[in-house]
Short mmCIF file of all heavy atoms in Angstrom, two decimals:
data_model
loop_
_atom_site.label_atom_id
_atom_site.label_comp_id
_atom_site.label_asym_id
_atom_site.label_seq_id
_atom_site.Cartn_x
_atom_site.Cartn_y
_atom_site.Cartn_z
N ARG Q 268 0.85 -1.22 -0.03
CA ARG Q 268 -0.01 -0.01 0.02
C ARG Q 268 0.85 1.25 0.02
O ARG Q 268 0.67 2.18 -0.78
CB ARG Q 268 -0.91 -0.02 1.24
CG ARG Q 268 -1.74 1.27 1.40
CD ARG Q 268 -2.66 1.22 2.57
NE ARG Q 268 -3.40 2.46 2.68
CZ ARG Q 268 -4.39 2.66 3.58
NH1 ARG Q 268 -4.78 1.67 4.35
NH2 ARG Q 268 -5.01 3.81 3.62
N VAL Q 269 1.83 1.30 0.89
CA VAL Q 269 2.68 2.53 1.02
C VAL Q 269 3.50 2.76 -0.26
O VAL Q 269 3.69 3.93 -0.65
CB VAL Q 269 3.62 2.39 2.26
CG1 VAL Q 269 4.64 3.48 2.28
CG2 VAL Q 269 2.72 2.43 3.54
N ASN Q 270 3.90 1.71 -0.90
CA ASN Q 270 4.77 1.82 -2.06
C ASN Q 270 4.05 1.72 -3.41
O ASN Q 270 4.66 1.69 -4.43
CB ASN Q 270 5.90 0.81 -2.02
CG ASN Q 270 6.85 1.08 -0.86
OD1 ASN Q 270 7.75 1.93 -0.98
ND2 ASN Q 270 6.69 0.37 0.25
N LYS Q 271 2.73 1.69 -3.31
CA LYS Q 271 1.84 1.64 -4.52
C LYS Q 271 2.27 0.50 -5.42
O LYS Q 271 2.49 0.73 -6.64
CB LYS Q 271 1.89 2.98 -5.24
CG LYS Q 271 0.69 3.16 -6.21
CD LYS Q 271 0.74 4.50 -6.86
CE LYS Q 271 -0.53 4.71 -7.76
NZ LYS Q 271 -0.49 6.02 -8.49
N LEU Q 272 2.35 -0.67 -4.87
CA LEU Q 272 2.74 -1.88 -5.65
C LEU Q 272 1.47 -2.63 -6.03
O LEU Q 272 0.73 -3.07 -5.13
CB LEU Q 272 3.69 -2.73 -4.86
CG LEU Q 272 5.00 -2.07 -4.41
CD1 LEU Q 272 5.84 -2.99 -3.57
CD2 LEU Q 272 5.79 -1.59 -5.63
N GLY Q 273 1.27 -2.89 -7.27
CA GLY Q 273 0.11 -3.65 -7.72
C GLY Q 273 0.26 -5.14 -7.55
O GLY Q 273 -0.72 -5.89 -7.57
N ASP Q 274 1.54 -5.60 -7.47
CA ASP Q 274 1.79 -7.03 -7.27
C ASP Q 274 2.97 -7.20 -6.35
O ASP Q 274 3.42 -6.25 -5.72
CB ASP Q 274 1.96 -7.75 -8.61
CG ASP Q 274 3.10 -7.14 -9.45
OD1 ASP Q 274 4.09 -6.66 -8.85
OD2 ASP Q 274 2.94 -7.07 -10.65
N ASN Q 275 3.49 -8.43 -6.26
CA ASN Q 275 4.61 -8.69 -5.34
C ASN Q 275 5.97 -8.62 -5.98
O ASN Q 275 6.99 -9.02 -5.44
CB ASN Q 275 4.42 -10.11 -4.75
CG ASN Q 275 3.22 -10.19 -3.82
OD1 ASN Q 275 2.62 -9.16 -3.45
ND2 ASN Q 275 2.86 -11.39 -3.45
N GLN Q 276 6.06 -8.12 -7.24
CA GLN Q 276 7.30 -8.07 -7.95
C GLN Q 276 8.13 -6.88 -7.48
O GLN Q 276 7.69 -5.78 -7.47
CB GLN Q 276 7.03 -7.91 -9.47
CG GLN Q 276 6.22 -9.12 -10.03
CD GLN Q 276 6.90 -10.47 -9.84
OE1 GLN Q 276 8.11 -10.58 -10.14
NE2 GLN Q 276 6.19 -11.42 -9.34
N ILE Q 277 9.41 -7.15 -7.16
CA ILE Q 277 10.39 -6.12 -6.84
C ILE Q 277 11.72 -6.45 -7.56
O ILE Q 277 11.89 -7.58 -8.02
CB ILE Q 277 10.60 -6.03 -5.30
CG1 ILE Q 277 10.96 -7.43 -4.71
CG2 ILE Q 277 9.44 -5.38 -4.60
CD1 ILE Q 277 11.25 -7.38 -3.22
N LYS Q 278 12.62 -5.48 -7.59
CA LYS Q 278 13.87 -5.71 -8.27
C LYS Q 278 15.04 -5.22 -7.44
O LYS Q 278 14.87 -4.29 -6.58
CB LYS Q 278 13.91 -5.07 -9.65
CG LYS Q 278 13.66 -3.53 -9.60
CD LYS Q 278 13.57 -2.99 -11.01
CE LYS Q 278 13.38 -1.45 -10.97
NZ LYS Q 278 13.20 -0.87 -12.34
N VAL Q 279 16.18 -5.82 -7.60
CA VAL Q 279 17.37 -5.47 -6.83
C VAL Q 279 17.69 -3.98 -7.05
O VAL Q 279 17.62 -3.45 -8.20
CB VAL Q 279 18.56 -6.29 -7.30
CG1 VAL Q 279 19.89 -5.81 -6.59
CG2 VAL Q 279 18.35 -7.76 -6.92
N GLY Q 280 17.95 -3.29 -5.93
CA GLY Q 280 18.25 -1.84 -5.99
C GLY Q 280 17.06 -0.93 -5.86
O GLY Q 280 17.23 0.24 -5.62
N GLN Q 281 15.88 -1.50 -5.92
CA GLN Q 281 14.64 -0.74 -5.75
C GLN Q 281 14.55 -0.23 -4.33
O GLN Q 281 14.89 -0.95 -3.35
CB GLN Q 281 13.43 -1.56 -6.04
CG GLN Q 281 12.08 -0.84 -5.97
CD GLN Q 281 10.96 -1.77 -6.48
OE1 GLN Q 281 11.18 -2.90 -6.97
NE2 GLN Q 281 9.71 -1.32 -6.28
N ARG Q 282 14.16 1.01 -4.15
CA ARG Q 282 14.06 1.59 -2.80
C ARG Q 282 12.59 1.59 -2.38
O ARG Q 282 11.71 2.07 -3.09
CB ARG Q 282 14.61 3.06 -2.79
CG ARG Q 282 16.11 3.05 -3.02
CD ARG Q 282 16.63 4.45 -3.39
NE ARG Q 282 16.51 5.37 -2.24
CZ ARG Q 282 17.44 5.45 -1.28
NH1 ARG Q 282 18.50 4.65 -1.32
NH2 ARG Q 282 17.32 6.32 -0.33
N LEU Q 283 12.36 1.08 -1.14
CA LEU Q 283 10.99 0.93 -0.63
C LEU Q 283 10.89 1.66 0.70
O LEU Q 283 11.89 1.65 1.51
CB LEU Q 283 10.66 -0.55 -0.38
CG LEU Q 283 10.66 -1.46 -1.60
CD1 LEU Q 283 10.53 -2.92 -1.16
CD2 LEU Q 283 9.61 -1.09 -2.59
N THR Q 284 9.81 2.28 0.94
CA THR Q 284 9.50 2.90 2.24
C THR Q 284 8.82 1.78 3.12
O THR Q 284 7.84 1.24 2.78
CB THR Q 284 8.54 4.05 2.12
OG1 THR Q 284 9.12 5.00 1.21
CG2 THR Q 284 8.32 4.76 3.43
N ILE Q 285 9.49 1.52 4.27
CA ILE Q 285 9.06 0.41 5.15
C ILE Q 285 8.70 0.91 6.52
O ILE Q 285 9.59 1.44 7.20
CB ILE Q 285 10.14 -0.70 5.24
CG1 ILE Q 285 10.57 -1.17 3.89
CG2 ILE Q 285 9.59 -1.87 6.09
CD1 ILE Q 285 9.54 -1.86 2.99
N TRP Q 286 7.46 0.78 6.90
CA TRP Q 286 7.06 1.07 8.28
C TRP Q 286 7.60 0.03 9.25
O TRP Q 286 7.47 -1.18 9.00
CB TRP Q 286 5.55 1.13 8.36
CG TRP Q 286 5.02 1.54 9.72
CD1 TRP Q 286 4.67 0.74 10.75
CD2 TRP Q 286 4.71 2.87 10.09
NE1 TRP Q 286 4.26 1.50 11.80
CE2 TRP Q 286 4.25 2.83 11.44
CE3 TRP Q 286 4.86 4.14 9.51
CZ2 TRP Q 286 3.93 3.98 12.16
CZ3 TRP Q 286 4.48 5.25 10.21
CH2 TRP Q 286 4.05 5.18 11.52
N ASN Q 287 8.28 0.46 10.33
CA ASN Q 287 8.86 -0.51 11.24
C ASN Q 287 8.61 -0.21 12.74
O ASN Q 287 9.27 -0.72 13.59
CB ASN Q 287 10.37 -0.64 11.01
CG ASN Q 287 11.13 0.66 11.28
OD1 ASN Q 287 10.52 1.69 11.56
ND2 ASN Q 287 12.44 0.60 11.26
N ALA Q 288 7.55 0.58 12.94
CA ALA Q 288 7.21 0.90 14.35
C ALA Q 288 6.02 0.01 14.77
O ALA Q 288 5.06 -0.16 14.01
CB ALA Q 288 6.80 2.37 14.50
N PRO Q 289 6.10 -0.61 15.95
CA PRO Q 289 4.99 -1.54 16.34
C PRO Q 289 3.73 -0.80 16.77
O PRO Q 289 3.74 0.26 17.41
CB PRO Q 289 5.62 -2.26 17.54
CG PRO Q 289 6.63 -1.34 18.10
CD PRO Q 289 7.18 -0.58 16.96
N PHE Q 290 2.60 -1.34 16.37
CA PHE Q 290 1.33 -0.90 16.80
C PHE Q 290 0.85 -1.75 18.00
O PHE Q 290 1.36 -2.88 18.22
CB PHE Q 290 0.24 -1.04 15.71
CG PHE Q 290 0.50 -0.22 14.50
CD1 PHE Q 290 0.87 -0.81 13.31
CD2 PHE Q 290 0.27 1.15 14.50
CE1 PHE Q 290 1.12 -0.07 12.19
CE2 PHE Q 290 0.45 1.91 13.37
CZ PHE Q 290 0.89 1.29 12.17
N THR Q 291 -0.09 -1.25 18.75
CA THR Q 291 -0.77 -2.07 19.76
C THR Q 291 -2.25 -1.81 19.59
O THR Q 291 -2.67 -0.74 19.07
CB THR Q 291 -0.39 -1.72 21.24
OG1 THR Q 291 -0.63 -0.35 21.50
CG2 THR Q 291 1.10 -2.03 21.48
N ILE Q 292 -3.03 -2.84 19.93
CA ILE Q 292 -4.50 -2.72 19.87
C ILE Q 292 -5.08 -2.72 21.26
O ILE Q 292 -4.71 -3.53 22.11
CB ILE Q 292 -5.08 -3.90 19.07
CG1 ILE Q 292 -4.65 -3.83 17.57
CG2 ILE Q 292 -6.63 -3.94 19.15
CD1 ILE Q 292 -5.01 -5.06 16.77
N GLU Q 293 -5.98 -1.79 21.50
CA GLU Q 293 -6.68 -1.75 22.79
C GLU Q 293 -8.20 -1.82 22.53
O GLU Q 293 -8.72 -1.05 21.68
CB GLU Q 293 -6.33 -0.44 23.56
CG GLU Q 293 -6.96 -0.37 24.94
CD GLU Q 293 -6.57 0.88 25.64
OE1 GLU Q 293 -6.02 1.83 25.01
OE2 GLU Q 293 -6.74 0.93 26.89
N ILE Q 294 -8.85 -2.71 23.21
CA ILE Q 294 -10.32 -2.89 23.04
C ILE Q 294 -10.98 -2.60 24.34
O ILE Q 294 -10.68 -3.27 25.38
CB ILE Q 294 -10.62 -4.31 22.54
CG1 ILE Q 294 -9.97 -4.54 21.15
CG2 ILE Q 294 -12.13 -4.53 22.45
CD1 ILE Q 294 -9.82 -6.01 20.77
N ILE Q 295 -11.97 -1.71 24.36
CA ILE Q 295 -12.74 -1.40 25.57
C ILE Q 295 -14.16 -1.97 25.39
O ILE Q 295 -14.91 -1.49 24.55
CB ILE Q 295 -12.80 0.13 25.79
CG1 ILE Q 295 -11.41 0.74 25.80
CG2 ILE Q 295 -13.51 0.40 27.09
CD1 ILE Q 295 -10.50 0.22 26.87
N LYS Q 296 -14.47 -3.06 26.14
CA LYS Q 296 -15.73 -3.70 25.95
C LYS Q 296 -16.87 -2.83 26.31
O LYS Q 296 -17.95 -2.89 25.63
CB LYS Q 296 -15.73 -4.96 26.80
CG LYS Q 296 -14.71 -6.00 26.39
CD LYS Q 296 -15.10 -7.40 26.94
CE LYS Q 296 -15.06 -7.46 28.44
NZ LYS Q 296 -15.34 -8.84 28.95
N GLU Q 297 -16.80 -2.01 27.34
CA GLU Q 297 -17.92 -1.18 27.76
C GLU Q 297 -18.36 -0.21 26.65
O GLU Q 297 -19.56 0.02 26.53
CB GLU Q 297 -17.50 -0.40 29.01
CG GLU Q 297 -18.62 0.46 29.57
CD GLU Q 297 -18.18 1.21 30.83
OE1 GLU Q 297 -16.98 1.18 31.20
OE2 GLU Q 297 -19.03 1.89 31.46
N ASP Q 298 -17.43 0.28 25.88
CA ASP Q 298 -17.72 1.22 24.84
C ASP Q 298 -17.87 0.54 23.48
O ASP Q 298 -18.24 1.21 22.51
CB ASP Q 298 -16.64 2.28 24.76
CG ASP Q 298 -16.50 3.09 26.00
OD1 ASP Q 298 -17.48 3.25 26.72
OD2 ASP Q 298 -15.39 3.55 26.27
N ASN Q 299 -17.53 -0.72 23.36
CA ASN Q 299 -17.44 -1.41 22.10
C ASN Q 299 -16.62 -0.58 21.10
O ASN Q 299 -17.05 -0.29 19.97
CB ASN Q 299 -18.83 -1.69 21.56
CG ASN Q 299 -19.42 -2.96 22.15
OD1 ASN Q 299 -18.77 -3.98 22.25
ND2 ASN Q 299 -20.66 -2.84 22.60
N ARG Q 300 -15.41 -0.28 21.52
CA ARG Q 300 -14.48 0.46 20.65
C ARG Q 300 -13.13 -0.24 20.60
O ARG Q 300 -12.69 -0.86 21.57
CB ARG Q 300 -14.22 1.87 21.19
CG ARG Q 300 -15.47 2.79 21.27
CD ARG Q 300 -15.88 3.28 19.92
NE ARG Q 300 -17.05 4.11 19.99
CZ ARG Q 300 -17.03 5.44 20.03
NH1 ARG Q 300 -15.86 6.10 20.06
NH2 ARG Q 300 -18.13 6.12 20.10
N LEU Q 301 -12.48 -0.13 19.47
CA LEU Q 301 -11.13 -0.69 19.28
C LEU Q 301 -10.21 0.50 18.90
O LEU Q 301 -10.58 1.32 18.04
CB LEU Q 301 -11.10 -1.75 18.17
CG LEU Q 301 -9.77 -2.41 17.87
CD1 LEU Q 301 -10.01 -3.84 17.30
CD2 LEU Q 301 -8.89 -1.62 16.90
N TYR Q 302 -9.08 0.59 19.57
CA TYR Q 302 -8.16 1.70 19.38
C TYR Q 302 -6.84 1.16 18.85
O TYR Q 302 -6.26 0.21 19.41
CB TYR Q 302 -7.92 2.44 20.67
CG TYR Q 302 -9.15 3.02 21.26
CD1 TYR Q 302 -9.90 2.31 22.21
CD2 TYR Q 302 -9.67 4.26 20.92
CE1 TYR Q 302 -11.06 2.81 22.79
CE2 TYR Q 302 -10.79 4.78 21.44
CZ TYR Q 302 -11.54 4.05 22.38
OH TYR Q 302 -12.67 4.53 22.91
N LEU Q 303 -6.38 1.71 17.72
CA LEU Q 303 -5.08 1.39 17.16
C LEU Q 303 -4.09 2.42 17.73
O LEU Q 303 -4.26 3.64 17.50
CB LEU Q 303 -5.11 1.41 15.64
CG LEU Q 303 -3.76 1.12 14.96
CD1 LEU Q 303 -3.35 -0.31 15.18
CD2 LEU Q 303 -3.90 1.45 13.46
N ASN Q 304 -3.09 1.95 18.49
CA ASN Q 304 -2.20 2.85 19.17
C ASN Q 304 -0.79 2.72 18.66
O ASN Q 304 -0.30 1.69 18.25
CB ASN Q 304 -2.17 2.52 20.67
CG ASN Q 304 -3.50 2.76 21.37
OD1 ASN Q 304 -4.25 3.61 20.91
ND2 ASN Q 304 -3.79 2.02 22.41
N LEU Q 305 -0.09 3.90 18.67
CA LEU Q 305 1.28 4.04 18.30
C LEU Q 305 2.00 4.88 19.34
O LEU Q 305 1.51 5.99 19.62
CB LEU Q 305 1.37 4.68 16.91
CG LEU Q 305 2.79 5.01 16.37
CD1 LEU Q 305 3.60 3.75 16.16
CD2 LEU Q 305 2.67 5.83 15.09
N ASP Q 306 3.05 4.36 19.90
CA ASP Q 306 3.78 5.14 20.97
C ASP Q 306 2.85 5.47 22.14
O ASP Q 306 2.93 6.56 22.69
CB ASP Q 306 4.41 6.42 20.39
CG ASP Q 306 5.49 6.08 19.41
OD1 ASP Q 306 5.98 4.94 19.38
OD2 ASP Q 306 5.87 7.00 18.59
N GLY Q 307 1.85 4.61 22.42
CA GLY Q 307 0.92 4.89 23.51
C GLY Q 307 -0.15 5.86 23.21
O GLY Q 307 -0.91 6.29 24.04
N THR Q 308 -0.27 6.29 21.93
CA THR Q 308 -1.22 7.27 21.50
C THR Q 308 -2.16 6.71 20.43
O THR Q 308 -1.70 6.02 19.50
CB THR Q 308 -0.51 8.54 20.94
OG1 THR Q 308 0.33 9.10 21.93
CG2 THR Q 308 -1.51 9.62 20.44
#
């Protein structure tokens, strides 16, 4: 998605933007909400 690739084909030397920060998921049952968190935010 980030690199706008229509298929899985890549070539040597190609430069790709790669997300490498971990997400966490928080689910609050009382509110029936799911939160996608990054760096605690």
Side-chain angles (χ1 to χ4, degrees):
R268 175 176 179 175
V269 169
N270 292 280
K271 199 177 181 182
L272 301 176
D274 55 36
N275 293 348
Q276 300 301 310
I277 51 176
K278 59 185 179 181
V279 174
Q281 184 175 351
R282 293 166 68 83
L283 300 173
T284 304
I285 308 294
W286 184 268
N287 64 351
F290 297 107
T291 58
I292 293 172
E293 184 177 14
I294 298 162
I295 307 298
K296 295 199 297 181
E297 183 179 5
D298 298 332
N299 279 313
R300 298 286 179 94
L301 183 152
Y302 301 93
L303 180 66
N304 295 334
L305 174 66
D306 296 342
T308 299

